[in-house]
Amino acid sequence: MRALLLASGLVALCFVAMPASGAGTADAAPAATAQTEGVGRLDGASAEAFADSLAALEADMGGAAKLALHMKLAQVRAKLAEQRGRPLTDAEFATALDGKTLAELDSLADAAPTHITIDIETSDDT
């Protein structure tokens, strides 16, 4: 059980860092534009626009809500990669989620549960 929780946390942390990497290169103006034009929707025009719209959605969220959002993003990305038979690029992932709301993202994540299996060997140090 502990290993499953640790693995889930690790996966979440990996995907928390991924969208944030593109957010540092954008101006504050595009994020404001995304907030006013596409309130509550993800912008998949490019990976940078996606990161900006994601940052706008996260602006009013607490830490737990942000973690839950990134876990949902990880589930959806894993399911899309499974369907396509290869990992998605950031641009492909952004395009796949273009125009989606948080409610639609919730539905997609619920339909694509992530199953993690970890094989743990007990150490025998005696």
Side-chain angles (χ1 to χ4, degrees):
M1 180 67 172
R2 188 177 86 183
L4 181 60
L5 291 174
L6 289 173
S8 297
L10 179 62
V11 169
L13 289 175
C14 290
F15 284 100
V16 167
M18 181 261 321
S21 65
T25 61
D27 299 347
T33 304
Q35 270 186 321
T36 57
E37 290 178 1
V39 177
R41 294 195 178 271
L42 294 166
D43 181 3
S46 67
E48 293 79 22
F50 181 77
D52 289 342
S53 64
L54 186 59
L57 290 173
E58 291 176 334
D60 297 329
M61 291 183 181
K66 286 180 187 178
L67 181 61
L69 174 62
H70 286 279
M71 285 297 296
K72 291 173 187 171
L73 288 169
Q75 287 177 310
V76 171
R77 190 172 191 143
K79 187 61 171 185
L80 289 171
E82 179 184 316
Q83 290 173 350
R84 294 180 185 186
R86 62 176 175 74
L88 276 73
T89 65
D90 290 344
E92 289 173 324
F93 186 58
T95 301
L97 294 181
D98 187 31
K100 301 285 189 232
T101 63
L102 290 178
E104 292 169 329
L105 182 64
D106 286 344
S107 298
L108 289 172
D110 289 342
T114 301
H115 300 283
I116 300 172
T117 304
I118 300 174
D119 221 3
I120 300 174
E121 295 181 24
T122 58
S123 62
D124 188 12
D125 293 339
T126 59

